[in-house]
Amino acid sequence: MPIIEINSLEHPGVEVFSTLTEAQLRNRVEPDKGIFIAESPKVINVALNMGWEPLALLCERKHIEGDAKSIIQRCGDIPVYTGNRDLLATLTGYTLTRGVLCAMRRPHEKAVEEVCCDARRVVVIDGVVDTTNIGAIFRSAAALGIDAVLLTRSSCDPLNRRAVRVSMGSVFLVPWTWLDGSISSLHRLGFKTAAMALTDQSVSIDHPALKAEPRLAIIMGTEGDGLPHETIAEADYVVRIPMSHDVDSLNVAAAAAVAFWELR
């Protein structure tokens, strides 16, 4: 693999790690040219284990024979850009976590039917835009037995660098895709829908009918306003997590973890 020492922020090839925005990396105009950035050896290894394609590495010089060594060996003949810590922090705009970044090819977008083919429990993320929450929801989904993740287009991209890092690579473990139709369209795939919301008609999350459903889609709403009224109205179930001490709700990532554990 070519080790390329850089001493300038304008070095050809490093723009993928520096000047390109998340939107430019995603490249909706030409999806087959889309790229995302995976950060830290552990996360990069998870992606490689799942067959995702590496395109270039960026790491601190000291990590070439350290944390990045096994990654470099696994990635084959791709460019490895290196330099001192301060230069790379200036280049990327942040201090590298354990000193390693990997630019990787975005996969082709999958159909909802493909992602949900054998799924019994899925989560629908509707309008959640915080990268930390997206990453945490994916991590809980992977850990607590959720078979697939569907996201509305108003939600944050799961392959955003911070979302990938917070998920600890779980975005590579759980099948996911974008949901373009209405959430009620999941009925044709045999799913009943459970909207997580506080209403007068909501049932407790431990209601036996929920666990009895052979296929259930758990719908999580935005950080501030929750789910739209029309989504709640269309749902087969409206579900609440019982609260104490007059606490009205949990953060969406925390609520998702509780829901996944109870309804798996």
Side-chain angles (χ1 to χ4, degrees):
M1 79 299 295
I3 305 293
I4 303 169
E5 183 82 25
I6 64 172
N7 51 30
S8 166
L9 303 184
E10 285 76 42
H11 195 287
V14 300
E15 61 276 356
V16 66
F17 297 106
S18 57
T19 59
L20 296 184
T21 65
E22 289 283 353
Q24 288 169 325
L25 289 172
R26 187 170 174 181
N27 200 346
R28 286 183 173 177
V29 176
E30 297 181 271
D32 59 323
K33 295 183 180 179
I35 296 170
F36 70 95
I37 305 298
E39 182 180 357
S40 88
K42 180 175 181 178
V43 171
I44 296 167
N45 268 317
V46 173
L48 294 175
N49 290 343
M50 298 302 294
W52 295 55
E53 179 189 357
L55 301 175
L57 285 164
L58 178 72
C59 65
E60 293 177 37
R61 190 183 299 109
K62 68 179 182 179
H63 290 307
I64 291 177
E65 292 298 324
D67 286 347
K69 185 174 182 179
S70 63
I71 299 289
I72 292 171
Q73 292 172 341
R74 293 191 67 182
C75 286
D77 192 27
I78 65 172
V80 180
Y81 300 101
T82 189
N84 64 53
R85 184 180 182 86
D86 290 341
L87 175 66
L88 299 190
T90 303
L91 173 73
T92 60
Y94 49 88
T95 301
L96 276 60
T97 300
R98 297 190 65 187
V100 189
L101 297 179
C102 185
M104 309 193 84
R105 178 78 64 199
R106 279 182 172 270
H108 292 292
E109 193 172 305
K110 296 180 179 180
V112 171
E113 291 80 2
E114 179 183 0
V115 167
C116 294
C117 178
D118 298 317
R120 296 185 63 250
R121 293 291 184 268
V122 304
V123 59
V124 179
I125 302 175
D126 186 0
V128 176
V129 297
D130 183 88
T131 55
T132 300
N133 284 335
I134 290 289
I137 292 171
F138 265 87
R139 190 172 183 182
S140 293
L144 301 175
I146 296 301
D147 301 311
V149 179
L150 305 176
L151 302 102
T152 62
R153 297 283 180 178
S154 57
S155 296
C156 170
D157 176 19
L159 295 182
N160 172 284
R161 179 188 64 84
R162 183 169 176 79
V164 172
R165 188 181 74 187
V166 172
S167 82
M168 294 300 291
S170 296
V171 295
F172 310 126
L173 301 176
V174 184
W176 65 271
T177 194
W178 300 100
L179 179 65
D180 288 316
S182 69
I183 293 173
S184 61
S185 67
L186 295 175
H187 288 149
R188 62 185 173 82
L189 299 179
F191 286 94
K192 291 294 183 68
T193 55
M196 300 298 299
L198 296 172
T199 72
D200 293 337
Q201 291 75 42
S202 61
V203 299
S204 177
I205 197 169
D206 59 358
H207 194 289
L210 295 168
K211 283 190 176 181
E213 290 292 351
R215 307 189 91 184
L216 189 67
I218 304 162
I219 312 167
M220 307 301 305
T222 66
E223 295 88 343
D225 298 328
L227 291 169
H229 295 300
E230 56 270 23
T231 299
I232 295 173
E234 290 179 356
D236 297 297
Y237 299 96
V238 182
V239 182
R240 70 179 183 276
I241 298 172
M243 301 284 172
S244 300
H245 298 293
D246 296 322
V247 175
D248 60 354
S249 65
L250 296 173
N251 165 274
V252 64
V258 173
F260 298 165
W261 170 258
E262 182 64 31
L263 300 177
R264 63 198 174 128

